[in-house]
Amino acid sequence: MAAHWWVFTSLQNYQPKWLRADVIAGLTVWAVMVPEALAYASIAGVPPVAGLYAALPALVLYALAGSSRHLVVGPMSATAALSAAIIAPLAAADSDRYIALSAGLAIATGVAGLLAGLARLGFVASFISEPVLKGFIVGLALTIIIGQVPKFLGIDKTEGDFFTQAWGVLTGLDDTDWRTLLVAVISLALVLGLRRWLPLVPGSLLAAVFGIVAVSVLHLDEHGVSIVGHIDAGLPAIGLPQDVGLHDYLDLLGPAVGVLLIGFAEGLGAAKIYAAKAGYQIDANRELYGLGAANLGSGLFSGMVVNGSLSKTAVNGSAGARTQVSGLVVAALTTVTLLFLTGLFEKLPEATLAAVVIAAVIELVDIASLRRLYRVWTQRLGSIYGVAARADFAAALAAMLGVLLFDTLPGLLIGIGVSMLLLVYRSSRPHIAPLAQQGRLWLDADQHPDLPRNPNLLVVRVESGLFFANADHVRDSIEAMCTDRTRLVVLDAQTSPTVDVTAAAMLAALRDSLARRRIDFRIARSIGQFGDELGAAPTGTAAIPVYPTIRAAVADTPDSTGGPEADR
């Protein structure tokens, strides 16, 4: 029996034929990772080289502990911006303390991730539904794209939400630098064209080479084309950041949980997308371990907070990566870059970088999926739930708009909140179907209006568990279905697996209310926990009669539809 791997799980059963694809993917991601890491470090307010310091241990430690074969972990814009917002008030104007606290935040985030994994809190991911995750990913991808457009055009970037940035782009079109735009268009055409017609060729890497050569030969940086610029060489010192005490870590632990949630959501979303394409599963608890280990390593390497990168994972997947060997290749190349190649990337045009990022994430703007969610609707669902009939679409749209309007963490929380609210709303208004008999079966009378019904008998089923949120709705609906001729109500409990104390009390009150109208109330076919919970809950002086079948429940009632054949 094969041993279970606890580390480097993506390397199980590694096949030598995968090595070429992993190396090419690693080279491609490296070409994107280096300049992006430098840029995101600037967003976080730390020296650009701190982005490379962070990427090196993050790549290795995630490959060690994570569960995704494709996820690339490193500095990202969302967590970099969140880091700056957290650290700025704490560090004031002290730049050295700012750098130290940024590394301290990464350590606190790492510890929080490891503790969450140890506590097996990966189930939190279950509260992020697939539609919410889809909307979140679409919103995040659009935000990444609009953030790259100013570099693509060579214009100033406008800070703010997606729509503010988009307006800034529109109003700044007159300032477009034609040389920058030309470099960007050629770079984008290279990436998209090679992906379309020569998918085995690393288009992102060739685009980076093109940009560097163009700047070096034509001296484009002297004619308004922005380049990455100076990068410090050498490896970082390893250890805890200086002048960060225990009280600082305790202060940072709360904000670190928010950073962890954002990083976990984005990384999990990207990991699940490519796991689904490749046909394997993601372990949410291992993702917490992987993210925690990556952040802890980044902090100890004088880095910054890191998380799973949607854009770089897209680059990695589109370049043909098969396992985390591609991430280890990126780590090795990042080490070589820090030691010997920083000067090379100083000539990389930001426009080329923008083109590579846009090409990587544009396929994640999956509007077709949102349309499919919108089409999940029928007239029956609309009549039962109203506006909540399109609950999945509404949750996805809320997450997307939340990201576009309020940033990543608020957007994710808005999506989760709307999803949970709609779930509770739909649970509070379950469909209550009157039943009619057809042979041995009892069917939804509204769906089969041709079936005869006995006016003295009402058989109903509630298509939900019974609990406090829907108890009043169920009682009111059943009472409203009764007529002056009704003499027996049978609740078919087969579709109601559970009942809580509030709902049990409601059933007792319903029994008493119907009795005052000279209507008997019985329950048939209780399943699962329903019978146990109903028997244990206080329901008044007399127990509600419970029968094994609908036939048994109606057998003693004159003029009922119960007969020898009604045995279910």
Side-chain angles (χ1 to χ4, degrees):
M1 184 172 64
H4 181 74
W5 286 37
W6 290 99
V7 296
F8 293 113
T9 56
S10 81
L11 304 187
Q12 294 182 59
N13 305 315
Y14 193 86
Q15 299 181 28
K17 64 182 180 181
W18 295 347
L19 184 60
R20 179 179 179 274
D22 280 338
V23 170
I24 290 176
L27 283 165
T28 306
V29 174
W30 166 71
V32 176
M33 168 73 82
V34 172
E36 278 198 354
L38 303 174
Y40 296 150
S42 299
I43 293 174
V46 295
V49 74
L52 297 179
Y53 293 164
L56 176 55
L59 289 162
V60 175
L61 292 174
Y62 177 81
L64 178 79
S67 66
S68 172
R69 301 175 192 171
H70 296 89
L71 187 67
V72 178
V73 177
M76 273 299 295
S77 58
T79 47
L82 193 55
S83 174
I86 293 168
I87 300 302
L90 301 176
D94 188 336
S95 60
D96 291 337
R97 181 163 170 77
Y98 190 106
I99 295 170
L101 286 174
S102 295
L105 178 61
I107 292 174
T109 303
V111 171
L114 293 174
L115 291 175
L118 186 63
R120 302 191 66 79
L121 295 181
F123 72 87
V124 172
S126 300
F127 292 94
I128 309 174
S129 68
E130 289 296 331
V132 168
L133 206 54
K134 176 62 69 176
F136 176 76
I137 292 295
V138 171
L140 192 56
L142 288 172
T143 301
I144 291 172
I145 289 172
I146 199 62
Q148 297 297 319
V149 170
K151 296 179 183 179
F152 196 93
L153 302 176
I155 62 178
D156 293 334
K157 181 179 179 180
T158 302
E159 298 300 327
D161 60 45
F162 173 85
F163 299 101
T164 302
Q165 292 186 54
W167 180 250
V169 169
L170 291 175
T171 56
L173 288 176
D174 291 341
D175 298 325
T176 299
D177 181 83
W178 69 268
R179 294 182 180 85
T180 299
L181 179 60
L182 183 61
V183 169
V185 169
I186 294 175
S187 300
L188 185 62
L190 269 174
V191 177
L192 296 179
L194 290 172
R195 179 188 300 170
R196 174 67 177 83
W197 290 293
L198 296 172
L200 296 180
V201 178
S204 299
L205 182 59
L206 289 186
V209 171
F210 156 75
I212 292 170
V213 171
V215 169
S216 300
V217 173
L218 303 176
H219 306 289
L220 296 177
D221 52 326
E222 298 176 5
H223 296 87
V225 176
S226 297
I227 59 174
V228 171
H230 177 70
I231 307 171
D232 292 329
L235 295 176
I238 301 174
L240 293 172
Q242 295 181 356
D243 301 325
V244 179
L246 179 59
H247 67 283
D248 292 314
Y249 288 112
L250 293 177
D251 290 341
L252 291 170
L253 193 57
V257 173
V259 175
L260 179 68
L261 181 59
I262 283 293
F264 183 53
E266 182 177 355
L268 185 67
K272 282 188 171 183
I273 287 173
Y274 288 92
K277 291 181 178 180
Y280 64 94
Q281 297 295 318
I282 295 297
D283 184 331
N285 291 311
R286 289 195 67 89
E287 289 305 292
L288 286 171
Y289 281 126
L291 185 58
N295 272 286
L296 184 60
S298 174
L300 294 175
F301 270 63
S302 305
M304 53 182 283
V305 291
V306 296
N307 63 276
S309 167
L310 179 62
S311 58
K312 286 183 281 294
T313 301
V315 171
N316 196 35
S318 62
R322 302 297 297 271
T323 69
Q324 282 293 332
V325 166
S326 65
L328 297 176
V329 170
V330 180
L333 291 172
T334 301
T335 303
V336 173
T337 301
L338 281 167
L339 293 173
F340 308 112
L341 301 179
T342 53
L344 175 65
F345 280 92
E346 292 176 357
K347 293 290 187 180
L348 179 65
E350 291 189 351
T352 295
L353 172 61
V356 171
V357 173
I358 290 171
V361 302
I362 196 168
E363 64 182 24
L364 300 176
V365 184
D366 193 356
I367 302 301
S369 291
L370 297 181
R371 286 200 299 266
R372 285 194 293 272
L373 289 174
Y374 181 81
R375 289 196 294 267
V376 179
W377 184 90
T378 65
Q379 187 173 359
R380 184 171 182 234
L381 286 173
S383 66
I384 297 172
Y385 299 116
V387 294
R390 289 191 172 96
D392 290 334
F393 172 75
L397 189 64
M400 184 187 75
L401 292 177
V403 171
L404 297 180
L405 285 169
F406 303 110
D407 212 348
T408 48
L409 180 57
L412 179 63
L413 295 178
I414 288 170
I416 294 173
V418 170
S419 178
M420 298 299 290
L421 182 63
L422 290 171
L423 174 63
V424 171
Y425 177 79
R426 290 182 63 156
S427 298
S428 71
R429 300 181 62 83
H431 180 50
I432 302 170
L435 304 183
Q437 187 178 14
Q438 183 182 57
R440 298 165 62 91
L441 302 176
W442 288 86
L443 306 176
D444 188 333
D446 293 337
Q447 298 298 306
H448 300 274
D450 55 312
L451 294 179
R453 296 172 61 183
N454 186 335
N456 297 333
L457 173 67
L458 174 63
V459 180
V460 295
R461 71 175 178 224
V462 181
E463 297 179 355
S464 167
L466 302 181
F467 66 111
F468 64 92
N470 62 27
D472 290 343
H473 174 73
V474 170
R475 181 192 62 207
D476 295 343
S477 298
I478 292 177
E479 288 186 337
M481 290 179 184
C482 295
T483 69
D484 293 339
R485 299 183 63 182
T486 305
R487 289 295 171 260
L488 173 64
V489 173
V490 178
L491 173 62
D492 179 6
Q494 190 174 42
T495 55
S496 301
T498 59
V499 59
D500 70 358
V501 172
T502 302
M506 176 274 294
L507 292 175
L510 176 63
R511 172 199 60 195
D512 297 340
S513 175
L514 292 176
R516 288 191 290 270
R517 298 169 60 180
R518 303 179 64 187
I519 302 173
D520 288 336
F521 177 62
R522 301 171 185 177
I523 295 174
R525 301 201 296 181
S526 68
I527 61 170
Q529 305 167 37
F530 188 98
D532 296 337
E533 293 169 345
L534 184 64
T539 57
T541 56
I544 301 173
V546 179
Y547 296 84
T549 65
I550 297 176
R551 180 182 67 173
V554 303
D556 297 331
T557 303
D559 300 323
S560 74
T561 59
E565 75 281 10
D567 57 358
R568 290 204 278 170

